[in-house]
Amino acid sequence: MRYTIYIILCILFCTSLMAQTAKDLSSQDYPYLEKLYLHLHQNPELSFYETNTAKRLAEELRQAGFQVTENFGGTGVVGILKNGPGPTVLIRADMDALPVVEETGKAYASKVTTKDESGNTVGVMHACGHDIHMTVWAGAARTLAKLKSKWSGTLIMVGQPAEERSGGAKAMLKEGLYSKFPKPDYALAIHVSPTLAAGRIGYRKEYTLANVDFMDITVYGQGGHGAYPQTTIDPIVLSARIITTLQTIVSRETSPLEPAVVTVGAIHGGAKGNVIPNEVQMQLTMRSYSDQVRKNTIEKIGRICRGEAIAAGLPESKFPKLTMRPEETPSTYNDPALTERIISHFKATFGDPQIQEVEPSMAGEDFALFGRTDEKVPIFLFWLGTQDGSMAEKAAKGEIQLPSLHSSRFCPVPEPTIKTGVAAMSEAALRLFKK
């Protein structure tokens, strides 16, 4: 009799487990995930130094039954869960924080400080939501491990370092992410949205994030006394002319149908009002979607700098020096077929009102590199709402302005943000693994 009751209870338990959805499991797992989120939020680490963060994520994967490789491409973490024949799906989360002093006023606010690579003491904060990304990532790994009876294939979980400095994805791919581990058929990622209401999911087909490039320009001149400008070639005046002319790259040399940005974000020259310096330092960022616009923008900056130097009477030996910083990020292109496949599933699972098409952004994300290798893996990055619903509604009406990503006051609402993220990422993978 006892044996019969035991069998019946086992059947009921298994039936109940099989009936559970990713949404159910994300809700049940939330108390655990909230603690994980608070831990990650209060213990942020800068790009390339995510040592303790990576160890914690590796342990999360091991507890869920994954085979784990640590220190891949720096502090990167790779977890593999094989579950029979089928597609290979990669889910990526970025691990690094920013050198920002948190000013959210939350009881769980980060109080971490550290030395940056220049020796300066800086605050450290997850001001871009990577703590949410990692929590959702860990929750999806736990959920998909519990739902193994509902899918077949290979799941790859990638904890990526140094997204903020655009080096982590490159390092992991260079070390052989697609050759030393199963090559993915699809790659997925999320990014928090500072404007979408918590519980909502945003998406964009095709280009969703931009090419990002950084350039340093040294403008040379011939310094001297400020009272005798005729004896000098003033690099400050020359820099002003260059800055003004650079704006015509977008307004007059790029099609109005092609998005582009050229921003001079920093300029440093001189030390005293009556001394004309020998040189000026400028720092630029350029944004675009198409590779051709990116290439043309960089070439036109060089042409304008040379032309203005000639007009100022400088010899070729003193033409401006242009240096591209090795922090470039290509545009993120969401594969249209993959996007449609997942979004149609989201609408059926969560309902149309929760799913929102959003405008593309001129920010950058090195997740783009996962789709830019010779393997041409289709990728899809979707947006996760983080804001209180009433605040998001007021912002949409223009009544208030919400803190942006990278702001010291950016503060996601943990619930239902994390629940929605875990359920959405798990459902996206289940759709691709569909038996």
Side-chain angles (χ1 to χ4, degrees), residues 45 61 83 100 123 146 187 216 244 254 354 378 388 391 402 424 433:
E45 296 176 300
L61 292 181
N83 189 34
V100 175
K146 292 171 185 173
D216 295 337
T244 300
T254 304
Q354 267 191 270
D388 174 82
M391 300 292 283
L402 294 167
F433 281 132

Side-chain angles (χ1 to χ4, degrees), residues 59-111:
E59 184 57 31
E60 293 294 327
L61 292 181
R62 287 194 183 93
Q63 289 180 8
F66 287 74
Q67 293 182 338
V68 179
T69 300
E70 297 183 67
N71 302 314
F72 192 84
T75 57
V77 177
V78 182
I80 306 292
L81 184 63
K82 294 184 177 181
N83 189 34
T88 297
V89 177
L90 182 151
I91 299 176
R92 169 272 203 178
D94 34 15
M95 303 187 294
D96 54 331
L98 287 159
V100 175
V101 176
E102 182 166 351
E103 296 179 318
T104 61
K106 294 294 183 182
Y108 56 84
S110 168
K111 295 178 175 59

Side-chain angles (χ1 to χ4, degrees), residues 212-217 284 286 294 298 301 321-328:
V212 177
D213 291 284
F214 295 94
M215 179 187 290
D216 295 337
I217 301 179
L284 287 70
M286 297 81 73
R294 174 186 180 273
I298 294 170
I301 291 172
K321 178 183 176 183
L322 281 61
T323 304
M324 297 295 294
R325 291 194 179 189
E327 299 175 17
E328 75 280 357

Side-chain angles (χ1 to χ4, degrees), residues 42 144 248 291 319-320 331-332 412:
Q42 293 177 312
L144 291 166
T248 64
D291 291 343
F319 282 3
S331 54
T332 303

